[in-house]
C-alpha cells in the first residue's frame, strides 16, 4: 500500500487474503507516514507485489504499478499509536 501520487512509506501486508480491517489499518498507516498525515480522505493504493516494478535508472523508492484498488482513509495519531502497541 502507498499513498497515491505523493512521497511516503510503503506498507506491506503479508497475507494473500487480508481482511477488510487489516486493509484499512494498513491504509491508515501508509497515510499517516506520508505528507498527507494531517489530511482527511487520503487516497491509498493497494496493489499486489507482482504488479509492481521499478523502472531502470529510477530513483530509490520510485516504482510503477498497475491493477491497484484505491481506498480513502483519514489517518490519525491515536489509531497509529494503537496499532504500534499490538
Amino acid at each position: 500500500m502507498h499513498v497515491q501520487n505523493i512521497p511516503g512509506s510503503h506498507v506491506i501486508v503479508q497475507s494473500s487474503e487480508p481482511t477488510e480491517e487489516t486493509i484499512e489499518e494498513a491504509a491508515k498507516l501508509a497515510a499517516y507516514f506520508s505528507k498527507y498525515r494531517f489530511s482527511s480522505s487520503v487516497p491509498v493504493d493497494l496493489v499486489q507485489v507482482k504488479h509492481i516494478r521499478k523502472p531502470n535508472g529510477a530513483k530509490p523508492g520510485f516504482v510503477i504499478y498497475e491493477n491497484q484498488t484505491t481506498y480513502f482513509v483519514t489517518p490519525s495519531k491515536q489509531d497509529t499509536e494503537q496499532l504500534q502497541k499490538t
Side-chain angles (χ1 to χ4, degrees), residues 6-49:
I6 192 90
S9 296
H10 297 92
V11 176
I12 298 172
V13 176
Q14 294 185 340
S15 173
S16 58
E17 295 183 24
T19 65
E20 281 297 315
E21 180 182 6
T22 299
I23 291 170
E24 185 176 331
E25 290 172 349
K28 286 181 179 182
L29 286 173
Y32 186 79
F33 290 104
S34 75
K35 289 188 177 188
Y36 286 163
R37 174 179 290 187
F38 300 111
S39 301
S40 61
S41 194
V42 178
V44 180
D45 287 337
L46 167 68
V47 63
Q48 291 180 321
V49 174

